[in-house]
Amino acid sequence: MGSTGSSTFGDYKETGKDKCGKTVRCSLEEIENCPYFKKHGKVPKVDTPVSLDSELHEGRLMVVDDVSELGIGLLPTEYNYLHLCVTSQHYSYEGDVFASRNTPAPEISVELNPMKE
Amino acid sequence: MPGPVVIGDVYIDYHLDHRLVRLGGSFHACRLFGALGLPYFSAHTLPPYVEEEAEKQLQKLHPQGSTCFGHIENWPGIILIGDSTEASHQGYDEILRGLKVPRVDVGSLLKLVERNGLQDALMFPGSWTSPDLLNELRKRGVALHVDAQYLDDPIGLLDRLGPGAIETLFVSTSKSPLWKARQPAHDDLTHLRKSYAMSAVILKENRGGSQAFTEEGRFEAPAFPCDTLHSVGVGDVFDGAYLACRDHPVERRLRLASWVASQYAETLDYDVFAEQAAWSYGNASSVASYKGRRLSWEERQRLSVYIAGPDFPTVNTLAIDNIEAALKYHNFGRVRPIKDHGLDSPQLPDRDRENLFQKDVEAIQKANALIAVLPEHDPGTFAELGLAKGLGIPTIMFDPYGIVNNLFATKLPNAYCRNLPDVIDALFRLVGRQI
């Protein structure tokens, strides 16, 4: 409870801040330890369709290549909240790779868009 | 079994950076128990002018019972908060605290305890805290769980109470009176726990995670990076969540407390927090498996963060000063090369310039992270950034005035930040361990 402005107390309500309903754009982690890189020895190309795996992988959320169904990388831990979005609010997340390179070190950046059942 | 009684002062938190007012103090822990739907009681003091409003708001948090056991007179009870996110010193100012006159009736608190057979007290000490009161609670079979952050002299209180008086002591690096800089934190706190025969000492290390020193041993848990809106009362919520999860093993309790505390930090909307916290509590095994970032207080001191920037006499170095202050606040080892090694000038002999250059290069090579601060364009800073990145050292670009409009300069660093809280969050993310 609180209020914007300092004139009185009141109920503070967030508006327009549905974290689960926001698009996620981020760089993935642990790419070299994920199945896709281990199998192919390289990162997926730009525009590869991907989605968020709803299962936790040793406490982390994994992004999966939709074609091969292999994990391409892990979301940074600050996106752990998406697990709550998936399991309690029935969101799913789909998108694509918008940047990737193999050198000097493998990097993948993805955009994931929320979809509600 | 009845829930705990939350004992503390009710404050009015005024977030200057958000122009936001809400009830704080012991209310933070009450919000936690209310959100989880767990039984609890509230015993509080407050400035008399907010008593009616506080009662109204407390009822929305569904305590099983409550008592206002004192008024703090001559005191507005207002905490001015300069930096809600605690990227550096929060600039807390409890205005007119020197005029406080507590008029308390501990009888009403003790009656609440006796009437309801209360067995646990989560205490946020205030001016009414005394060994006599704590001993009266103990006589009635109440286990005391105390947040030391609110005590001016915690060791003095422990000495007067004697061993075995406090069951759990919560300590925070945000205010650290309890250990000396020359000793590692865990030696001090293990010794403290044993000396005063406490069941547990819990150390909260802000963005670095937490530790528990217990009879079963030492345990640690990560912090969970989040979209921090504020850090006011987050430690109090941690305390409450740790107590609420007592059926779980210690490490899981730390993890759950840390996770729920991060949810509190993301919002000032109680309903949003309540929904998320309740889900987390009901899915404890999933939540406890989440990975987070761990970087203890003592680990940070062993790191070296190189502050690159135009730290020249002719430049407004406020942004660099703020970075250094924030690093110091969070106990990071740091190098501020011009201040530490010297300022180059064309008048210096070549040999001296070469020595300066080598010192700076060595410092970068040994650094665990580099923060490039750009209050204005500076070729040297960009060169240092490139060197660090080429060496595989995590790099952060801090562009406080939005002047860096260059593809390489913004894409090359591991993190590009426009404000201080984001820089500190990025630093913990880049150099912390994942556990």
Side-chain angles (χ1 to χ4, degrees):
Chain A
M1 293 99 185
S3 70
T4 51
S6 53
S7 60
T8 186
F9 295 103
D11 284 331
Y12 178 81
K13 286 290 161 230
E14 287 178 355
T15 52
K17 192 184 170 183
D18 173 19
K19 265 182 82 166
C20 294
K22 285 189 173 170
T23 293
V24 171
R25 286 173 63 94
C26 67
S27 298
L28 300 182
E29 298 178 353
E30 302 290 336
I31 293 162
E32 289 161 292
N33 294 326
C34 285
Y36 188 99
F37 192 90
K38 281 183 173 175
K39 180 173 179 182
H40 296 287
K42 59 183 178 180
V43 298
K45 293 179 184 173
V46 171
D47 295 331
T48 299
V50 298
S51 55
L52 182 66
D53 186 350
S54 58
E55 297 294 321
L56 287 172
H57 296 264
E58 293 185 0
R60 301 283 298 270
L61 288 167
M62 183 178 281
V63 175
V64 174
D65 162 31
D66 285 349
V67 173
S68 66
E69 296 185 343
L70 294 173
I72 64 171
L74 301 178
L75 286 182
T77 54
E78 57 257 44
Y79 294 100
N80 285 344
Y81 71 88
L82 291 175
H83 186 239
L84 182 157
C85 300
V86 167
T87 51
S88 79
Q89 299 196 33
H90 310 295
Y91 275 91
S92 60
Y93 295 85
E94 297 175 7
D96 59 11
V97 173
F98 74 82
S100 67
R101 56 173 175 259
N102 291 298
T103 56
E107 290 187 20
I108 303 171
S109 298
V110 296
E111 178 174 293
L112 297 169
N113 300 301
M115 317 209 3
K116 192 143 188 194
E117 286 175 17
Chain B
M1 187 169 154
V5 55
V6 176
I7 308 175
D9 294 330
V10 176
Y11 288 89
I12 296 96
D13 292 339
Y14 184 12
H15 295 254
L16 292 166
D17 46 0
H18 294 293
R19 289 184 53 79
L20 188 76
V21 175
R22 73 171 185 168
L23 292 175
S26 61
F27 254 64
H28 297 299
C30 292
R31 289 194 184 101
L32 180 278
F33 287 103
L36 300 186
L38 294 175
Y40 78 101
F41 294 77
S42 174
H44 48 267
T45 68
L46 36 65
Y49 74 95
V50 294
E51 183 165 8
E52 192 180 322
E53 183 65 32
E55 279 306 313
K56 223 189 315 178
Q57 295 204 20
L58 184 62
Q59 291 316 309
K60 296 181 186 178
L61 303 177
H62 306 296
Q64 289 178 295
S66 68
T67 184
C68 172
F69 71 94
H71 288 150
I72 312 294
E73 295 181 357
N74 297 351
W75 179 62
I78 296 174
I79 307 274
L80 300 180
I81 300 156
D83 171 18
S84 293
T85 65
E86 201 184 357
S88 185
H89 274 290
Q90 283 193 278
Y92 267 41
D93 188 10
E94 185 189 333
I95 58 174
L96 300 180
R97 60 186 174 279
L99 301 183
K100 276 182 180 178
V101 177
R103 301 202 192 283
V104 300
D105 170 21
V106 298
S108 75
L109 164 58
L110 297 174
K111 276 190 198 129
L112 183 77
V113 167
E114 288 165 356
R115 201 164 52 235
N116 296 284
L118 301 184
Q119 296 172 24
D120 290 279
L122 176 57
M123 182 176 289
F124 302 99
S127 50
W128 37 267
T129 303
S130 69
D132 289 341
L133 171 60
L134 271 59
N135 283 329
E136 288 297 326
L137 288 167
R138 288 178 61 208
K139 269 190 220 165
R140 288 159 175 81
V142 178
L144 301 175
H145 313 274
V146 179
D147 194 314
Q149 180 163 346
Y150 294 82
L151 289 167
D152 289 330
D153 182 15
I155 299 295
L157 180 66
L158 288 169
D159 282 338
R160 290 196 295 278
L161 287 170
I166 304 272
E167 171 131 341
T168 313
L169 188 70
F170 294 97
V171 178
S172 169
T173 58
S174 296
K175 185 178 173 182
S176 55
L178 284 189
W179 67 84
K180 301 164 187 61
R182 63 179 179 274
Q183 292 189 19
H186 68 267
D187 283 349
D188 272 329
L189 296 179
T190 300
H191 178 72
L192 186 77
R193 187 193 71 72
K194 287 179 179 172
S195 299
Y196 294 99
M198 293 183 276
S199 293
V201 173
I202 309 298
L203 177 63
K204 298 174 283 183
E205 297 173 281
N206 196 280
R207 290 164 170 80
S210 56
Q211 299 184 61
F213 301 82
T214 73
E215 291 158 327
E216 296 104 327
R218 186 165 80 102
F219 302 88
E220 63 175 0
F224 295 100
C226 63
D227 195 7
T228 305
L229 182 65
H230 74 98
S231 69
V232 181
V234 172
D236 298 1
V237 165
F238 182 105
D239 298 350
Y242 184 82
L243 201 59
C245 297
R246 64 200 315 172
D247 293 338
H248 295 278
V250 172
E251 189 189 319
R252 183 178 281 199
R253 291 175 76 177
L254 287 178
R255 283 181 169 270
L256 289 169
S258 183
W259 176 258
V260 171
S262 73
Q263 291 179 314
Y264 195 72
E266 286 193 306
T267 183
L268 287 157
D269 185 325
Y270 173 71
D271 291 333
V272 169
F273 167 67
E275 184 183 355
Q276 294 182 349
W279 181 91
S280 301
Y281 188 71
N283 292 273
S285 59
S286 278
V287 171
S289 75
Y290 291 167
K291 291 286 195 288
R293 295 288 170 184
R294 175 80 182 119
L295 189 61
S296 71
W297 183 257
E298 61 259 37
E299 282 174 308
R300 293 173 230 170
Q301 203 166 40
R302 294 194 291 267
L303 298 179
S304 175
V305 180
Y306 187 99
I307 307 170
D311 206 2
F312 310 131
T314 53
V315 172
N316 178 356
T317 60
L318 179 62
I320 302 174
D321 297 338
N322 288 341
I323 287 289
E324 185 182 29
L327 293 177
K328 184 177 177 185
Y329 179 76
H330 290 284
N331 204 41
F332 281 98
R334 59 210 175 268
V335 172
R336 191 167 169 176
I338 290 177
K339 296 251 183 307
D340 293 344
H341 302 154
L343 178 64
D344 177 43
S345 86
Q347 285 74 42
L348 280 180
D350 279 349
R351 176 174 293 185
D352 290 349
R353 298 189 77 204
E354 182 63 29
N355 283 340
L356 258 183
F357 174 68
Q358 286 303 330
K359 278 185 189 169
D360 289 355
V361 168
E362 281 171 19
I364 291 175
Q365 289 171 329
K366 289 178 186 166
N368 301 94
L370 179 142
I371 301 175
V373 188
L374 269 304
E376 58 181 60
H377 281 291
D378 174 55
T381 303
F382 288 117
E384 288 168 314
L385 173 67
L387 174 61
K389 183 73 179 183
L391 291 170
I393 294 166
T395 51
I396 301 168
M397 164 76 73
F398 177 33
D399 181 17
Y401 309 122
I403 63 166
V404 179
N405 187 17
N406 176 276
L407 184 68
F408 256 79
T410 54
K411 294 286 184 188
L412 191 66
N414 297 93
Y416 169 77
C417 303
R418 293 290 313 277
N419 60 61
L420 183 57
D422 285 352
V423 172
I424 299 304
D425 285 347
L427 181 60
F428 274 91
R429 189 174 74 244
L430 289 168
V431 301
R433 291 180 285 125
Q434 186 181 279
I435 65 169

